[in-house]
Amino acid sequence: MQIPILADITIIFLFAAIALFICGKLKIPEIMGYLFAGVLVGPNGLRLIHAVEQVEMMAEIGVVLLLFTIGITFSLSTLLSLKRPALAGGGLQVAGCIAAFTGAAYLGGYELNTAVVIGMMSAVSGTAIMLNVFAARGEVDSLYGRISLAVSIFQDIAVIPMMLLVPLLAGQGGKFSDVGIILGKAVVVVVLLFAFARFLVPKLLYQVAATRSRELFMITVVLVCLGVAWMTSKTGLSLALGAFLAGIVVSESGYGQQALGDVIPFKDVFAGFFFVSIGMLLNPEVVLNAPVLTIISLILLIIIKFAVTGFVINIIGYPVRTSVLAGLSLAQVSEFSFILGAVGASTGILTSDQYSFFIAVTVLSMASTPFLIISAPHVAELVTKLPMPRAFRGGYLSEEEKEPEKELIDHIIIAGFGMNGRNTARAAREKGIEYVVIEMNPDTVRREKRNGTPIFFGDASQAAVLEHAALKTARVMVITLPDPIGVRKIVETARRENPTIYIIARTRYLTELEPLKALGANEIVVEEYETSIETFSRVLKKYYISHDEIEALANQIRTEIMGRPGEMISNSTEGTTFADMNIINITVPVGSQIAGKTVRDVDIRFRYRLNLLAVNRGTDTISNPGSDFAIQERDELMLMGEQNDADIFMQAIRQRQ
């Protein structure tokens, strides 16, 4: 059986893999690799791809999945809070950009109707590429990331009347009432989606999750994504906007993180097709025939759009720094510009040469997006130093830059909420230690959420789920699941995503000990031999054997079974008393005020009356560190001293820089 498109897919993956490898070595954003691969294999390059339409179809799926995953990270309340930047900011930005670019094109010698089309094409920004860069940098939920998304949503909706306006500019008829009808349909669809988010989808996903079938859950999530995207496209809205709204619907259901983990592998693959397809549109000959004009047009496009967008965001109340960051993020041109340009070319408003030139400038502007976003903080710093009125500098909405949620730091991640998980959570709660629970039973999640437990539904073996639990800043992860294969996967993923986290895994059988050690578990609680130790300990107590002798025998057996005596001795010193002195292990939290300081600067011995015996850093142990030794985040300090002094020191290092 022959699959004609298989050869094209293989070629795309081959060139994309090579390009991404080179970009990784040169520390260039991955999008550049995809775009370059598209230029090479496309019809304007080596012409290796023949099934262009099929590739573009897969690219559309990539955009849908990309916007769906972004939507999952949002909530309905977050979206509603963006109505000001979406309506006021988006409306003024689109109107301002159309006016500015129309004027520039008209002064440049274009006919008025052509200039208006160029203005509309330049007004919209590339949502998919912008959000992909935000996601890679973890800035989707930043203030300027949310503002950029809000303006971008308005732009996507504004494309509808723009597309209907192009034939009118060409004198080919049409009715302005069509715009109202389509927008009316869009409003109805959005209202229905929000109703689904509140009432239908949570119940549906609850029933699906209760089956414990990962395949059924994943298929249902993809069905919701594609179904909502298809429904919105039928009203004249874009597939991308529909997919984003579908993500918000799933996010509101409480099953968003698990859905995100299931969809991300598909998103990464299909989104690659989208970026490659954008690169295939670029004709290098157009750039080579007029390199100076192309570069000047690109620079003017970015400067004008940045200036208009930044100014609009500032006058609706946001401070200069936020306005600059959002303005540069939106300074490129959208993939929807290709559609507007194609309509303009088909109606005769744009010539084929004008359309090809605009495509070249558009693709180059999209390629510049990662660099614009990376450079945005530096540009913002320079702009804020310029003299300007106080009203522009501050922004009366600057208080929104405060983070709405408390960041989890130095907490415990508990995977599984059975008896062991509950007891661990109870101990943490009573001692004032923050924790978060990951659980796969939807009934447990629903019940415990009502009780105020910090718990969410998800598979802890998925990196996206662990990221939501703030794995990077956690101190300890406790895995209490009864499934040995599941425990292995979780240990492997957690160790890969955070090489320094302390992992305690529970398993039933001794045969799991070595595999879990190899995967990176720091401590393994084996029920099989812990039960046997507890049994013979109780037996020996009946024969009046002393507690110390029983404990020594238990430690000897544990050491023999673990195969690492040194590790067991080290663990057993935690809290052990020697002449009224404790040996206590304390881990330096992320962001601690002592991180980066030397032992001399911290002055542990004289300020806190503690002796630093050793430091565990990852898999290395530094014994008797000198006064010039620099303490780092996540270092485990082995200290000797009185417990009260250790408690004071522990409180001090929890203070952040």
Side-chain angles (χ1 to χ4, degrees):
M1 179 179 178
Q2 297 293 323
I3 306 177
I5 195 177
L6 184 60
D8 289 345
I9 294 175
T10 304
I11 291 171
I12 289 176
F13 279 150
L14 173 62
F15 277 81
I18 295 173
L20 291 177
F21 177 78
I22 295 173
C23 287
K25 289 293 184 181
L26 299 177
K27 300 188 183 304
I28 298 174
E30 292 181 349
I31 291 176
M32 294 299 297
Y34 284 121
L35 295 176
F36 184 66
V39 173
L40 284 179
V41 303
N44 300 310
L46 301 177
R47 301 181 181 178
L48 300 177
I49 301 301
H50 302 94
V52 177
E53 291 185 0
Q54 288 88 335
V55 171
E56 290 177 350
M57 188 181 303
M58 298 173 75
E60 284 292 331
I61 297 175
V63 174
V64 167
L65 294 176
L66 174 61
L67 270 295
F68 178 68
T69 58
I70 298 298
I72 287 177
T73 63
F74 276 74
S75 64
L76 188 58
S77 59
T78 302
L79 184 64
L80 293 175
S81 70
L82 296 175
K83 56 183 179 294
R84 183 183 184 85
L87 299 177
L92 291 173
Q93 189 269 346
V94 169
C97 284
I98 291 177
F101 285 107
T102 298
Y106 185 71
L107 293 175
Y110 289 93
E111 296 290 334
L112 181 59
N113 59 350
T114 303
V116 173
V117 173
I118 291 175
M120 291 190 297
M121 294 167 65
S122 304
V124 290
S125 304
T127 307
I129 286 185
M130 177 187 71
L131 291 180
N132 191 69
V133 177
F134 282 164
R137 292 169 58 84
E139 296 173 344
V140 173
D141 199 39
S142 64
L143 178 63
Y144 82 92
R146 298 198 301 272
I147 293 173
S148 301
L149 175 63
V151 174
S152 183
I153 289 173
F154 184 91
Q155 292 174 351
D156 288 348
I157 297 174
V159 169
I160 301 170
M162 289 181 192
M163 290 183 63
L164 296 173
L165 188 60
V166 173
L168 293 176
L169 293 172
Q172 296 183 4
K175 297 180 180 179
F176 284 104
S177 60
D178 293 341
V179 178
I181 293 173
I182 292 177
L183 291 178
K185 290 180 180 179
V187 171
V188 172
V189 168
V190 170
V191 171
L192 288 175
L193 286 177
F194 288 160
F196 289 161
R198 291 290 187 185
F199 306 109
L200 181 61
V201 174
K203 295 180 180 178
L204 172 65
L205 292 181
Y206 168 75
Q207 295 297 332
V208 170
T211 66
R212 302 295 186 92
S213 171
R214 181 170 177 176
E215 291 79 7
L216 176 60
F217 184 87
M218 181 174 62
I219 289 174
T220 305
V221 166
V222 174
L223 174 63
V224 172
C225 169
L226 298 181
V228 172
W230 172 79
M231 186 168 61
T232 54
S233 69
K234 284 301 190 180
T235 66
L237 294 172
S238 68
L239 283 169
L241 180 59
F244 174 76
L245 295 175
I248 292 178
V249 168
V250 173
S251 173
E252 288 294 304
S253 71
Y255 299 91
Q257 297 311 313
Q258 179 61 33
L260 182 64
D262 286 337
V263 172
I264 275 182
F266 300 100
K267 182 268 292 184
D268 291 338
V269 172
F270 283 99
F273 280 98
F274 166 70
F275 298 124
V276 169
S277 70
I278 295 298
M280 290 168 60
L281 295 172
L282 178 63
N283 188 349
E285 290 185 5
V286 174
V287 179
L288 295 176
N289 290 337
V292 176
L293 180 61
T294 303
I295 294 173
I296 291 176
S297 300
L298 175 63
I299 293 174
L300 287 176
L301 170 70
I302 292 173
I303 291 176
I304 293 174
K305 198 163 187 183
F306 160 64
V308 172
T309 306
F311 177 72
V312 164
I313 293 172
N314 184 251
I315 64 173
I316 66 171
Y318 293 94
V320 170
R321 185 177 185 277
T322 303
S323 303
V324 171
L325 294 173
L328 282 174
S329 302
L330 293 163
Q332 83 293 116
V333 185
S334 169
E335 57 274 12
F336 292 118
S337 301
F338 302 139
I339 301 174
L340 287 169
V343 175
S346 65
T347 56
I349 295 180
L350 296 176
T351 65
S352 59
D353 290 339
Q354 290 170 342
Y355 181 51
S356 298
F357 180 77
F358 190 84
I359 284 179
V361 175
T362 298
V363 173
L364 292 176
S365 77
M366 296 173 81
S368 69
T369 303
F371 302 102
L372 292 175
I373 294 177
I374 291 171
S375 64
H378 305 290
V379 177
E381 185 177 351
L382 294 175
V383 173
T384 52
K385 293 180 180 179
L386 298 176
M388 64 185 69
R390 182 182 298 273
F392 289 97
R393 183 179 299 279
Y396 57 83
L397 297 179
S398 57
E399 68 272 9
E400 289 188 34
E401 290 190 278
K402 297 177 182 178
E403 290 295 329
E405 295 182 1
K406 183 180 179 182
E407 184 181 4
L408 282 172
I409 294 177
D410 208 30
H411 58 290
I412 304 171
I413 298 175
I414 303 172
F417 210 56
M419 180 62 69
N420 289 318
R422 291 175 189 277
N423 288 335
T424 302
R426 177 182 177 180
R429 187 167 56 249
E430 291 185 357
K431 294 301 179 181
I433 302 172
E434 289 187 295
Y435 67 93
V436 62
V437 181
I438 306 172
E439 172 59 47
M440 282 290 287
N441 187 326
D443 292 315
T444 301
V445 173
R446 176 182 288 186
R447 182 177 61 253
E448 292 300 326
K449 272 191 173 180
R450 287 198 295 262
N451 296 334
T453 303
I455 186 173
F456 66 94
F457 179 87
D459 180 358
S461 66
Q462 294 185 355
V465 173
L466 292 179
E467 182 180 353
H468 184 68
L471 177 73
K472 298 290 185 183
T473 56
R475 181 191 292 197
V476 178
M477 181 170 188
V478 181
I479 306 168
T480 67
L481 303 178
D483 175 20
I485 302 299
V487 173
R488 287 193 193 187
K489 290 181 179 179
I490 295 171
V491 171
E492 182 181 17
T493 305
R495 179 58 65 212
R496 182 180 68 247
E497 298 298 318
N498 185 350
T500 62
I501 192 168
Y502 198 85
I503 301 175
I504 303 173
R506 163 236 184 170
T507 184
R508 288 181 176 177
Y509 307 110
L510 191 60
T511 53
E512 288 295 306
L513 186 63
E514 290 303 324
L516 290 175
K517 280 187 193 177
L519 291 171
N522 298 91
E523 289 190 39
I524 303 103
V525 180
V526 183
E527 292 182 0
E528 192 174 34
Y529 78 78
E530 288 295 340
T531 303
S532 67
I533 288 174
E534 182 65 21
T535 301
F536 79 67
S537 296
R538 296 193 180 196
V539 170
L540 293 180
K541 286 179 183 178
K542 291 298 180 183
Y543 287 88
Y544 306 105
I545 306 298
S546 69
H547 174 77
D548 291 343
E549 292 180 274
I550 295 174
E551 191 64 27
L553 181 58
N555 284 335
Q556 180 182 346
I557 293 174
R558 287 194 181 99
T559 303
E560 290 173 357
I561 295 175
M562 289 294 291
R564 281 196 268 179
E567 178 181 85
M568 295 306 297
I569 293 172
S570 173
N571 288 341
S572 65
T573 59
E574 179 83 27
T576 303
T577 302
F578 296 99
D580 297 326
M581 302 298 282
N582 285 337
I583 297 178
I584 301 172
N585 293 347
I586 297 176
T587 301
V588 179
V590 175
S592 171
Q593 64 173 350
I594 72 168
K597 296 183 178 180
T598 64
V599 174
R600 181 188 299 109
D601 294 333
V602 179
D603 199 10
I604 297 176
R605 176 174 296 179
F606 294 102
R607 184 181 301 175
Y608 300 100
R609 295 182 295 181
L610 297 170
N611 290 315
L612 180 60
L613 304 179
V615 176
N616 293 322
R617 179 173 294 170
T619 57
D620 299 328
T621 299
I622 300 96
S623 301
N624 299 316
S627 58
D628 293 329
F629 178 81
I631 299 171
Q632 298 181 5
E633 295 175 348
R634 301 185 184 283
D635 278 352
E636 186 178 31
L637 311 181
M638 184 178 291
L639 303 164
M640 185 171 71
E642 294 185 4
Q643 186 63 47
N644 290 338
D645 295 329
D647 291 339
I648 294 172
F649 177 68
M650 196 177 304
Q651 291 297 324
I653 69 172
R654 285 180 179 271
Q655 297 179 15
R656 305 192 68 185
Q657 294 179 347

